[in-house]
Amino acid sequence: MNETGTDFIRKTVEEDLASGKYSDGPVTRFPPEPNGYLHIGHAKSICLNFGIAAEYGGKCNLRFDDTNPGRESAEYVRSILRDVKWLGFDPGERVYFASDYFDDLYRFAVRLIKEGKAYVCGLSPDQIRETRGTLTRPGVESPDRNRPAEESLALFEKMKNGEFEEGRYVLRAKIDMASPNLCLRDPAIYRIRKAMHHRTGEKWCIFPMYDFAHPLSDAIEGITHSLCTLEFANNRPLYDWFVSNLTDEPRPKQIEFARLNMSYTVLSKRKLSRLVEEGRVEGWDDPRMPTIAGMRRRGIPPEAIRKFCDMIGIAKKDSLVDVALLEHVIRETLNRTAQRRMAVLRPLKMVIENYPENRSEELTAINNPEDPSAGTRNVPFSRVLYIEKDDFMENPPKKFFRLAPGREVRLRYAYIIKCQSVVKDDATGEITEIRCTYDPATRGGNAPDGRKIKATIHWVSASHAVRSEVRLYDRLFLKENPGAETQDGDFTDSINPNSLEKLSPCYLEPSLRHAAPGERFQFERLGYFCVDLKDSTSQNPVFNRTVTLRDSWAKISARSRRGA
RNA sequence: UGGGGCGUCGUCAAGCGGUAAAGACACAGGAUUUUGAUUCCUGCAUUCGGAGGUUCGAAUCCUCCCGCCCCAGCCA
């Protein structure tokens, strides 16, 4: 069920079920056009449709709305299928294509013509536009509007047989050229398209329009509740027109809800494809993309996406969901499930002066404090280590309580150490190494004398470390709503130039050597990371940062930097 | 300025005529902590786009106004 209560769509479904209208439970459908990759906005719809079917003992179909050859392809069909399953929903045998219904749809069209409810129109696309009227002026009727049915039938047949070039004729529903709803001003329902269709090949050269194919496909499949986004509300009267003129009860019912918008990203296929085409990202599955494929590669668990969709709710209000909410559910699920490891991303060499040169020892580390069943592992310790550059400051500000000259700090699961001196590059003055001593009595990190150690930092033994590349991802856009003021023109203006930072070499604890692609970890004190699905090899492991840990120190230091 | 849809905390979002307007995220404090993480407390809309009205009683009903979104593809 839903986090926030029962949304208005579920309520409608419940009422319809209670009224006995649909005896076999609700049948919903997720109807993507295979012309792009699925994104998190689609995930909202997938969760809604499959969720309702599951909750009320119904069914959910996956139907490809493939009525426009030329911009659709089998590659997209494959990616969509994969993404839906990865998200955790299995349509099983219920995978359909609008193109499966082309014969039925054709028959429906013929029936409309015979009944005087459709006609073949010879107006050019330009003429159709000109005669459609405007928002405030009615349209004018086509000279072909009263063409005898026999004549339309013959022309439609010829259209089907490929006897006309594209654009020469179109089949139109005869409704009302004066309707205040432009959708009803004799909309085109079939057009000539001489393109190779990814499934029907060259069998057809006329293709039904969405407004015609969609409601009828719903009816053919016995859909009870046809859920779509708000921008289709204008099309609903047309949806009802086709369904009531051509099909019997019980008829499918269209219900609209608000599409998902999320801060600091864009969620329209058009804009996402532009990012890909213009090379702003490395592909549809770039980990910065809000696509399912991108999020998968980023390391976001499908469970988190489902939880997110559950939390944002379903309503009719246009909204902009804070991406922080997504980040929150990602952290929440990963905190529970991801094993902890130590990794140093920006290495600073540390030498333990009183630790023997050739010695090393194994220390025990907890895999997941949130899950005792995850057990423990051993981590090697030796004289030369790497620690994070950020964990040392030569002249620390007041609130910094990590390592600094003369200060003590605990190395996680290892020893309490003290900074004795700093080695710098003579030429640049840059700190190249810090020299410390350790307290042998503190093995494991406990102080037998009970002295309080304010900070614990992570580390990796230099001689045992696995070298790796780590990719740090940040939001793709600097503006909360990149599409807002710029119509479409240049949402790319607000692209974040620093959305990707590749770090190398990074040093990982040796247990990470055999991590499998897709495997997710928490690098302690840094964030959640996963092995890249594409570029990682055992020779050159690559990790992607999914999301950082919450970092109150970052807030404190940023605040004091501003204040000072 | 035709038609359709929508306006409840910074962001989502419950609420559907009956006492003090859920919850989550964000934010701000505090406690515990070998991750400045997690966890745990605490605070955070005298008010529901505005104005009138109906009612003993309204965010919930009525009227008017204001604002935002969608529609003039042979796209979906």
Side-chain angles (χ1 to χ4, degrees):
Chain A
M1 281 296 148
N2 190 277
E3 271 293 300
T4 53
T6 309
D7 58 73
F8 77 98
I9 293 179
R10 274 175 247 250
K11 278 188 186 111
T12 304
V13 170
E14 285 172 12
E15 284 163 17
D16 290 343
L17 257 23
S19 76
K21 209 159 165 186
Y22 309 105
S23 46
D24 297 324
V27 184
T28 55
R29 100 273 90 113
F30 172 62
E33 182 188 15
N35 71 338
Y37 278 65
L38 259 28
H39 54 67
I40 192 163
H42 294 109
K44 176 178 179 181
S45 173
I46 293 168
C47 290
L48 211 217
N49 281 291
F50 281 91
I52 285 177
E55 289 157 30
Y56 299 99
K59 301 284 184 211
C60 180
N61 298 349
L62 172 56
R63 181 174 72 236
F64 290 94
D65 228 325
D66 55 348
T67 56
N68 191 359
R71 56 183 231 171
E72 295 155 4
S73 78
E75 186 216 336
Y76 291 125
V77 171
R78 278 192 296 276
S79 76
I80 289 169
L81 237 15
R82 177 185 187 202
D83 289 347
V84 169
K85 287 180 182 161
W86 178 80
L87 254 188
F89 299 98
D90 183 10
E93 299 300 301
R94 309 180 74 89
V95 176
Y96 305 112
F97 293 81
S99 54
D100 290 341
Y101 313 135
F102 281 174
D103 285 306
D104 305 276
L105 264 12
Y106 181 78
R107 281 192 292 271
F108 277 130
V110 166
R111 193 174 133 200
L112 282 184
I113 297 172
K114 286 181 177 163
E115 292 174 3
K117 293 170 181 165
Y119 60 96
V120 171
C121 177
L123 255 26
S124 70
D126 280 347
Q127 290 171 314
I128 288 187
R129 189 179 336 109
E130 286 156 14
T131 53
R132 184 158 23 229
T134 68
L135 296 180
T136 49
R137 295 268 168 280
V140 325
E141 296 185 349
S142 163
D144 297 334
R145 197 166 201 263
N146 295 310
R147 191 195 293 282
E150 296 69 34
E151 206 177 305
S152 279
L153 240 21
L155 284 169
F156 190 46
E157 173 87 24
K158 288 183 177 180
M159 283 167 67
K160 185 181 81 145
N161 293 338
E163 294 179 36
F164 304 117
E165 70 276 23
E166 290 189 11
R168 179 66 190 81
Y169 285 108
V170 77
L171 181 69
R172 293 227 251 170
K174 189 196 277 192
I175 307 180
D176 178 9
M177 287 308 290
S179 172
N181 181 344
L182 308 222
C183 289
L184 300 179
R185 318 243 262 229
D186 289 12
I189 60 182
Y190 259 97
R191 74 298 210 181
I192 299 169
R193 221 30 32 120
K194 297 194 171 166
M196 178 69 89
H197 185 279
H198 71 112
R199 297 191 82 236
T200 61
E202 292 179 319
K203 179 181 175 197
W204 293 89
C205 53
I206 53 172
F207 292 88
M209 301 284 292
Y210 165 87
D211 281 318
F212 183 71
H214 198 82
L216 296 171
S217 299
D218 280 347
I220 290 167
E221 293 179 9
I223 299 301
T224 58
H225 301 267
S226 184
L227 315 179
C228 64
T229 43
L230 251 25
E231 66 269 28
F232 290 100
N234 295 318
N235 305 53
R236 186 171 2 109
L238 186 51
Y239 182 104
D240 292 337
W241 192 87
F242 287 124
V243 132
S244 58
N245 274 291
L246 295 165
T247 73
D248 301 315
E249 297 279 8
R251 301 194 176 98
K253 170 199 285 190
Q254 172 179 306
I255 305 173
E256 310 86 20
F257 63 95
R259 70 184 311 140
L260 172 66
N261 294 298
M262 198 163 58
S263 60
Y264 301 102
T265 191
V266 293
L267 286 181
S268 86
K269 260 190 220 171
R270 216 192 131 338
K271 287 174 182 168
L272 292 174
S273 10
R274 251 190 82 188
L275 293 174
V276 174
E277 281 156 20
E278 294 176 9
R280 312 297 190 127
V281 294
E282 289 166 22
W284 284 100
D285 65 349
D286 186 298
R288 288 166 292 182
M289 290 283 272
T291 52
I292 305 295
M295 294 190 290
R296 173 169 55 231
R297 225 181 132 190
R298 177 81 169 248
I300 299 173
E303 179 192 359
I305 297 175
R306 278 184 256 123
K307 182 79 194 300
F308 172 76
C309 290
D310 195 39
M311 287 178 75
I312 57 177
I314 298 293
K316 297 189 79 160
K317 183 174 63 169
D318 289 312
S319 60
L320 182 65
V321 175
D322 192 341
V323 69
L325 183 60
L326 211 214
E327 290 170 354
H328 171 262
V329 301
I330 294 169
R331 291 191 184 104
E332 183 180 67
T333 105
L334 258 14
N335 176 51
R336 246 177 31 237
T337 57
Q339 291 209 0
R340 312 290 113 134
R341 292 294 184 270
M342 290 199 286
V344 173
L345 269 33
R346 294 180 166 90
L348 173 58
K349 189 174 171 189
M350 169 186 280
V351 177
I352 313 291
E353 294 176 320
N354 58 341
Y355 196 89
E357 297 265 3
N358 44 15
R359 195 167 114 199
S360 78
E361 62 186 305
E362 299 278 317
L363 298 162
T364 303
I366 294 166
N367 283 331
N368 186 349
E370 307 292 323
D371 175 15
S373 74
T376 61
R377 69 187 185 283
N378 287 150
V379 184
F381 182 85
S382 64
R383 178 179 161 93
V384 182
L385 313 171
Y386 289 114
I387 65 162
E388 208 68 57
K389 266 188 182 137
D390 286 353
D391 287 338
F392 177 83
M393 282 186 99
E394 195 174 15
N395 301 298
K398 192 104 183 109
K399 287 175 183 157
F400 183 88
F401 50 76
R402 274 112 91 152
L403 197 60
R407 294 227 292 225
E408 276 195 324
V409 96
R410 174 167 36 234
L411 296 180
R412 175 138 242 227
Y413 297 125
Y415 294 96
I416 293 169
I417 53 123
K418 183 172 191 175
C419 175
Q420 303 297 156
S421 61
V422 173
V423 180
K424 292 183 185 177
D425 182 295
D426 288 337
T428 65
E430 186 195 348
I431 297 170
T432 55
E433 177 179 320
I434 55 179
R435 315 280 299 187
C436 302
T437 52
Y438 82 115
D439 177 351
T442 58
R443 189 174 199 273
N446 300 302
D449 58 358
R451 92 189 100 126
K452 288 287 172 229
I453 301 297
K454 199 89 190 279
T456 299
I457 65 172
H458 59 97
W459 52 275
V460 167
S461 166
S463 59
H464 303 269
V466 175
R467 290 168 69 103
S468 162
E469 174 180 329
V470 173
R471 298 171 182 172
L472 269 23
Y473 297 101
D474 198 358
R475 46 188 59 155
L476 238 191
F477 292 89
L478 265 7
K479 282 187 185 164
E480 193 173 50
N481 192 353
E485 48 272 22
T486 55
Q487 220 52 29
D488 186 282
D490 260 18
F491 69 97
T492 53
D493 289 349
S494 54
I495 283 181
N496 176 5
N498 306 313
S499 60
L500 168 58
E501 187 178 1
K502 295 187 177 181
L503 262 26
S504 170
C506 303
Y507 296 100
L508 318 177
E509 63 165 88
S511 68
L512 249 10
R513 174 159 276 123
H514 302 293
E519 220 180 324
R520 299 182 265 254
F521 299 94
Q522 181 195 100
F523 289 174
E524 293 215 32
R525 303 208 306 130
L526 298 173
Y528 296 96
F529 295 77
C530 83
V531 182
D532 188 75
L533 257 3
K534 268 191 169 169
D535 301 339
S536 194
T537 64
S538 51
Q539 282 313 298
N540 298 295
V542 176
F543 281 80
N544 296 328
R545 184 174 71 194
T546 308
V547 65
T548 60
L549 252 28
R550 281 183 64 203
D551 187 354
S552 50
W553 164 242
K555 279 181 195 169
I556 296 167
S557 61
R559 199 182 296 162
S560 62
R561 241 180 286 128
R562 273 199 308 274

